[in-house]
Amino acid sequence: MLDQRLLRDNPELISQQLGRRGMALDLTKLQLIAKQERDLQEQRSNLQAEGNRIGKEVGGLIQGGEASNGPAVQGLRDQGNRIKQQVSVLEEEEKELQAKLRDQLAALPNLPSPDAPDGKSEADNVEIKTWGSPRLAASGETLEEHWQIAERLGLFETERSVRIAQSRFVTLMGQGARLERSLINFMLDLHTGKGYREVLPPILVNSASLTGSGQLPKFAEESFRCADDDLWLTPTAEVPVTSLHRDEVIPADQLPLRYVAYSPCFRREAGSYGRDTRGLIRLHQFNKVELYWFCHPDHSREAHQQITADAEAVLEALELPYRKIELCTGDIGFSAARTYDLEVWLPGAGAYREISSCSTCGDFQARRSAIRLKDGKGTQLVHTLNGSGLAVGRTMAALLETGQQADGSIKLPAALVPYFGSDTIGLA
RNA sequence: GGAGAGGUGGCCGAGUGGUUGAAGGCGCAGCACUGGAAAUGCUGUAUAGGGGCAACUUUAUCGAGGGUUCGAAUCCCUCCCUCUCCGCCA
């Protein structure tokens, strides 16, 4: 949510900054609504002040022995009634304007950070660095894609999963299920070892939580909803973790709060028909280990570097080559002000694929969720950051493709052996 | 799911229509006392919005929403949540 004061005082700045995202908006009408709303509020509270004064006068008279049905009291009563009526009219108008303002403001994305590179689309994203050497097929060698490997080694069921649910679901089996579990534990241990607090949140979340982190109202069609309740399947642990501190004032000396949350994530993937239909890349349900920071505004810039580094550390520990790109203003998500994506190399596919997205949201989610910090006398909004550390299914895909051996087995990185119990998958 | 009890400030807790944003206590902060501390004393200590350069001022908020009233934490209605007992259950 953007600041209403900013809308009143400087809508040009908002238009200009959202213009960097490729949006063309004229906010003069919305600004007018905001100003009307403010004027109405002023009128209304002046009237209420008058009403309060009268109420106190009546109380004083009656306590002073005046008859409660005497002429003096009756006159004040009539006056009070008139004010009450006027107030209720103004209140109604004010509520209408407030709702309009809130709805329209809630549909606007965050302003991109000044640090974010300008650009129109994915094509304008900026590569920041690469790590490791992408594995390429040696001469005469054919590298399989992860779904081919998984099928060959019986790591998951795809056809049967359609029977259980529908397409874009998989059932991990045997060593595949074990590998997923190992990865979750490995990632959680890595992050908690750095001081992150582990969270296992509800994965059904209410509308207020989705609104607080920015998924509602604009992206309702992207989440699964439970028809009989005000509950949705969370698309990311970012949602419940943001709401962990919704409507709270956090003492400044407790910041930053750093959480690591494992959760299954559910996405409808509307509009992706035909894309990534095989394997673990794009599913309605997938596992993710999410990093999340609540921090002081003064430190969010460094925090963004740190949370990204913490995600990169997982890839490095798993010896998976990757590149780090910074999203341009045209490609940044709704709630984010600045985003780094980490893309892992998939040798079988011969391409880099997104495996983590690390964003700073500034005060955007904090304003929607009313999360403040208290430093001395006043309060101010905190900054929130999130980063995948990592998407587990895609990590498995990368491990399978990266570790494939001539004999058809998969060599796993040393760091995972204590978790998986073996350095190889698929040797009989 | 059935029956009962209850939701008040960071916490505990008083408050059943009148000047109550809310007694008292705890906690916290400042000051005094002290060589330093403890103890003690004094003062201060909610959030959000509006106006004002500021001092300050004003409105709202006692789970949420509506109603009665000149006036509601207090009365009425609806909803939500928590606790206890019973039932069911991983």
Side-chain angles (χ1 to χ4, degrees):
Chain A
M1 189 92 88
L2 302 176
D3 191 353
Q4 287 193 26
R5 263 168 300 199
L6 185 62
L7 174 67
R8 281 202 307 263
D9 300 341
N10 197 355
E12 297 79 20
L13 178 71
I14 298 178
S15 302
Q16 181 202 330
Q17 289 305 308
L18 292 184
R20 296 175 66 208
R21 284 180 176 267
M23 300 175 74
L25 313 155
D26 181 8
L27 291 172
T28 50
K29 266 172 87 175
L30 197 56
Q31 183 198 23
L32 196 68
I33 293 177
K35 285 189 164 164
Q36 278 173 351
E37 194 270 341
R38 196 255 324 260
D39 293 344
L40 222 50
Q41 184 192 350
E42 198 174 339
Q43 273 185 59
R44 194 216 66 223
S45 38
N46 285 342
L47 270 175
Q48 281 177 322
E50 177 65 10
N52 287 343
R53 197 191 55 74
I54 290 172
K56 285 181 185 178
E57 213 177 315
V58 173
L61 284 178
I62 291 176
Q63 294 224 313
E66 196 88 17
S68 62
N69 55 358
V73 171
Q74 196 55 50
L76 288 172
R77 267 194 195 151
D78 293 343
Q79 224 175 316
N81 270 324
R82 274 197 300 279
I83 287 174
K84 192 162 57 164
Q85 226 157 30
Q86 290 170 20
V87 165
S88 77
V89 171
L90 291 180
E91 256 177 355
E92 192 136 331
E93 279 179 62
E94 198 183 337
K95 262 188 200 168
E96 234 169 85
L97 284 183
Q98 257 168 6
K100 205 186 259 182
L101 193 60
R102 188 184 357 95
D103 291 352
Q104 294 196 35
L105 220 46
L108 293 179
N110 199 359
L111 304 183
S113 156
D115 300 320
D118 284 295
K120 285 190 170 73
S121 73
E122 213 175 313
D124 300 318
N125 292 341
V126 180
E127 183 177 288
I128 303 290
K129 76 167 194 186
T130 61
W131 184 90
S133 313
R135 177 176 173 182
L136 301 170
S139 62
E141 184 187 35
T142 310
L143 294 175
E144 288 180 293
E145 292 205 52
H146 77 275
W147 53 269
Q148 296 171 304
I149 299 167
E151 258 166 35
R152 182 166 54 72
L153 297 178
L155 303 182
F156 63 37
E157 294 282 355
T158 51
E159 307 282 304
R160 288 187 172 114
S161 299
V162 177
R163 179 155 69 204
I164 298 170
Q166 45 169 246
S167 66
R168 290 207 188 283
F169 284 90
V170 299
T171 308
L172 294 170
M173 303 290 289
Q175 290 185 301
R178 184 184 180 86
L179 180 56
E180 184 90 356
R181 173 160 62 91
S182 313
L183 282 169
I184 294 166
N185 282 334
F186 166 73
M187 291 178 194
L188 286 172
D189 284 352
L190 186 67
H191 297 306
T192 54
K194 292 178 179 172
Y196 282 87
R197 182 151 191 225
E198 188 170 339
V199 180
L200 193 64
I203 54 181
L204 269 71
V205 297
N206 58 35
S207 297
S209 297
L210 279 166
T211 306
S213 47
Q215 278 74 17
L216 286 178
K218 264 210 116 174
F219 303 102
E221 72 287 348
E222 191 42 42
S223 292
F224 291 99
R225 186 168 59 90
C226 303
D228 291 336
D229 304 279
D230 177 32
L231 288 171
W232 308 62
L233 294 178
T234 190
T236 161
E238 179 190 340
V239 176
V241 174
T242 303
S243 278
L244 199 56
H245 292 292
R246 177 148 48 88
D247 296 319
E248 285 187 21
V249 178
I250 303 168
D253 58 12
Q254 287 180 18
L255 296 174
L257 292 169
R258 298 181 299 144
Y259 294 110
V260 56
Y262 154 70
S263 87
C265 303
F266 302 86
R267 299 186 184 176
R268 297 177 59 87
E269 297 295 347
S272 67
Y273 305 108
R275 253 195 295 157
D276 307 315
T277 50
R278 316 190 81 150
L280 302 169
I281 299 298
R282 191 178 299 275
L283 296 167
H284 286 314
Q285 175 183 339
F286 62 95
N287 292 308
K288 182 158 58 67
V289 171
E290 182 80 358
L291 304 174
Y292 199 102
W293 289 46
F294 298 86
C295 80
H296 194 287
D298 292 349
H299 303 135
S300 67
R301 211 155 173 271
E302 305 92 87
H304 189 213
Q305 301 304 314
Q306 188 58 53
I307 198 172
T308 309
D310 290 339
E312 289 176 56
V314 183
L315 288 162
E316 291 175 18
L318 293 175
E319 303 165 38
L320 292 170
Y322 67 94
R323 65 175 184 181
K324 175 180 174 183
I325 61 171
E326 173 155 19
L327 300 193
C328 73
T329 51
D331 201 27
I332 291 176
F334 184 80
S335 297
R338 187 184 188 192
T339 301
Y340 294 113
D341 271 6
L342 303 180
E343 297 184 337
V344 71
W345 177 253
L346 295 179
Y352 283 105
R353 287 304 300 253
E354 178 186 340
I355 196 167
S356 173
S357 191
C358 302
S359 300
T360 177
C361 297
D363 62 13
F364 187 80
Q365 292 179 322
R367 184 173 296 105
R368 287 175 161 250
S369 298
I371 306 169
R372 293 142 293 168
L373 68 91
K374 183 158 200 162
D375 198 358
K377 39 205 175 311
T379 65
Q380 59 179 318
L381 295 169
V382 302
H383 280 191
T384 61
L385 301 96
N386 64 80
S388 345
L390 303 166
V392 181
R394 290 186 179 186
T395 305
M396 189 191 298
L399 286 171
L400 294 179
E401 294 194 13
T402 303
Q404 50 190 309
Q405 314 267 66
D407 64 2
S409 67
I410 306 299
K411 182 89 163 43
L412 292 175
L416 210 52
V417 174
Y419 291 88
F420 186 70
S422 164
D423 64 356
T424 314
I425 304 179
L427 278 187

